Amino acid sequence: MEQQTVGTRESTDEAATARHARFGHLPEPVRVEDMVEERPAVAPDPARTAYDPDEWLVRYCL
Protein backbone atom coordinates (compact mmCIF):
# COMPACT_ATOMS: atom_id res chain seq x y z
CA MET A 1 0.00 0.00 0.00
CA GLU A 2 2.83 2.33 0.85
CA GLN A 3 4.34 1.79 -2.59
CA GLN A 4 1.20 3.12 -4.34
CA THR A 5 1.29 6.24 -2.20
CA VAL A 6 4.89 6.94 -3.19
CA GLY A 7 4.11 6.42 -6.89
CA THR A 8 1.05 8.63 -6.67
CA ARG A 9 2.98 11.32 -4.85
CA GLU A 10 5.70 11.28 -7.54
CA SER A 11 3.15 11.59 -10.35
CA THR A 12 1.42 14.40 -8.44
CA ASP A 13 4.75 16.19 -8.06
CA GLU A 14 5.46 15.75 -11.77
CA ALA A 15 2.02 17.06 -12.65
CA ALA A 16 2.51 20.04 -10.35
CA THR A 17 5.89 20.74 -11.93
CA ALA A 18 4.39 20.55 -15.42
CA ARG A 19 1.53 22.88 -14.43
CA HIS A 20 3.95 25.34 -12.90
CA ALA A 21 6.14 25.29 -16.01
CA ARG A 22 3.12 26.05 -18.20
CA PHE A 23 1.03 28.36 -16.00
CA GLY A 24 3.48 29.52 -13.35
CA HIS A 25 4.12 32.97 -14.85
CA LEU A 26 2.11 35.76 -16.44
CA PRO A 27 2.37 36.40 -20.17
CA GLU A 28 4.35 39.36 -21.43
CA PRO A 29 2.32 42.59 -21.40
CA VAL A 30 1.04 43.82 -24.75
CA ARG A 31 1.65 47.47 -25.64
CA VAL A 32 -1.36 49.60 -26.57
CA GLU A 33 0.32 50.50 -29.87
CA ASP A 34 0.34 46.82 -30.80
CA MET A 35 -3.41 46.45 -30.11
CA VAL A 36 -4.57 49.26 -32.42
CA GLU A 37 -4.47 49.21 -36.19
CA GLU A 38 -5.18 52.44 -38.04
CA ARG A 39 -6.11 52.46 -41.69
CA PRO A 40 -8.49 54.54 -43.81
CA ALA A 41 -12.08 53.34 -44.04
CA VAL A 42 -12.13 53.79 -47.82
CA ALA A 43 -9.48 54.37 -50.46
CA PRO A 44 -8.79 58.05 -51.22
CA ASP A 45 -10.83 59.36 -54.15
CA PRO A 46 -9.07 62.15 -56.10
CA ALA A 47 -12.33 63.26 -57.77
CA ARG A 48 -13.77 63.98 -54.34
CA THR A 49 -10.97 66.29 -53.28
CA ALA A 50 -10.60 68.03 -56.67
CA TYR A 51 -13.57 70.36 -56.04
CA ASP A 52 -12.70 73.74 -54.58
CA PRO A 53 -15.75 75.26 -52.83
CA ASP A 54 -14.31 78.78 -53.07
CA GLU A 55 -13.71 78.58 -56.84
CA TRP A 56 -17.18 79.87 -57.72
CA LEU A 57 -16.51 83.02 -55.67
CA VAL A 58 -13.48 83.80 -57.81
CA ARG A 59 -15.26 83.02 -61.09
CA TYR A 60 -18.55 84.80 -60.54
CA CYS A 61 -17.95 87.48 -57.95
CA LEU A 62 -14.73 89.10 -59.12
Side-chain angles (χ1 to χ4, degrees):
M1 192 82 141
E2 203 172 304
Q3 194 174 15
Q4 279 184 337
T5 308
V6 172
T8 306
R9 187 178 303 143
E10 287 177 3
S11 65
T12 304
D13 291 342
E14 290 174 7
T17 304
R19 272 195 313 277
H20 184 70
R22 184 171 180 189
F23 303 112
H25 56 84
L26 294 174
E28 295 295 322
V30 179
R31 298 182 320 169
V32 175
E33 295 86 20
D34 295 338
M35 289 190 269
V36 177
E37 177 183 354
E38 293 182 9
R39 58 184 172 158
V42 293
D45 184 11
R48 221 174 175 183
T49 58
Y51 176 72
D52 184 11
D54 293 329
E55 182 183 1
W56 71 272
L57 286 172
V58 174
R59 286 190 184 197
Y60 297 110
C61 295
L62 293 178

